[in-house]
Amino acid sequence: MNGERQTMNYDDTNIFAKILRGELPSHRVYEDEAVIAFMDVMPQGTGHTLVVPKAGSRNLLDADPATLGPLFAAVRKIAQAVKKAFAADGVVVMQFNEPASGQTVFHLHVHVIPRFDGVPLKPHTGAMEKPEVLAANADKIRQALAG
Ligand code: AMP
């Protein structure tokens, strides 16, 4: 009952809406008419990137289906880029809906995380990464996207 109401309640004061409006900084790697992508500040692995649609919704449950095609086209592009940028063995794509699932920022986003054989993921929303490391990793992804 309460969950139903929550999914309808998008609040544009969330962190990603502020990043989209340029009110907060990010290590941005990609932008098109529908999405932006930037480095997760608490990465679960090297190169952990977030792909965020410009259209506001709390998560997948209340998203306009029209946003999903462009969003996942960008997710694919970023997945290919991070795999190349970090010579990863694989890429995991994750997306959380509501606090019970692990969602902590309530603007739809997709996690794209390079994976390496034998290297476990770090905890979700664990330690903050150093800005210089995020900047260097963002550079690698931009180069992979350009190449
Ligand atoms: P979720 O739990 O799926 O809502 O994921 C939110 C993600 O956003 C987490 O992985 C956080 O590490 C990440 N995050 C929180 N604040 C910021 C920020 N200012 N810039 C980039 N990533 C952030």
Side-chain angles (χ1 to χ4, degrees):
M1 179 183 76
N2 192 32
E4 181 112 344
R5 185 163 52 76
Q6 279 184 337
T7 62
M8 300 307 293
N9 191 21
Y10 176 73
D11 176 355
D12 75 357
T13 62
N14 72 78
I15 291 169
F16 294 168
K18 289 180 181 174
I19 289 174
L20 278 162
R21 291 194 295 267
E23 295 166 13
L24 286 176
S26 69
H27 295 276
R28 195 171 295 199
V29 297
Y30 177 77
E31 176 167 12
D32 64 27
E33 61 283 351
V35 312
I36 63 171
F38 51 86
M39 306 313 294
D40 193 304
V41 291
M42 291 173 266
Q44 289 188 252
T46 301
H48 183 165
T49 304
L50 300 169
V51 185
V52 180
K54 292 180 178 177
S57 74
R58 190 173 157 88
N59 53 44
L60 188 64
L61 301 172
D62 62 330
D64 180 344
T67 65
L68 303 180
L71 172 61
F72 272 81
V75 166
R76 178 172 181 267
K77 195 173 284 197
I78 297 301
Q80 291 172 332
V82 298
K83 187 168 186 300
K84 181 177 172 190
F86 302 100
D89 299 307
V91 182
V92 69
V93 171
M94 299 194 295
Q95 191 274 319
F96 302 97
N97 300 282
E98 301 302 327
S101 73
Q103 185 179 9
T104 59
V105 177
F106 298 95
H107 181 115
L108 175 61
H109 56 280
V110 178
H111 299 258
V112 179
I113 312 175
R115 295 301 310 269
F116 303 89
D117 290 337
V119 180
L121 282 184
K122 294 181 196 160
H124 185 53
T125 62
M128 289 283 285
E129 184 54 276
K130 296 185 196 72
E132 58 268 30
V133 172
L134 295 176
N137 287 343
D139 266 349
K140 287 184 186 171
I141 297 169
R142 283 188 217 104
Q143 279 172 30
L145 283 166

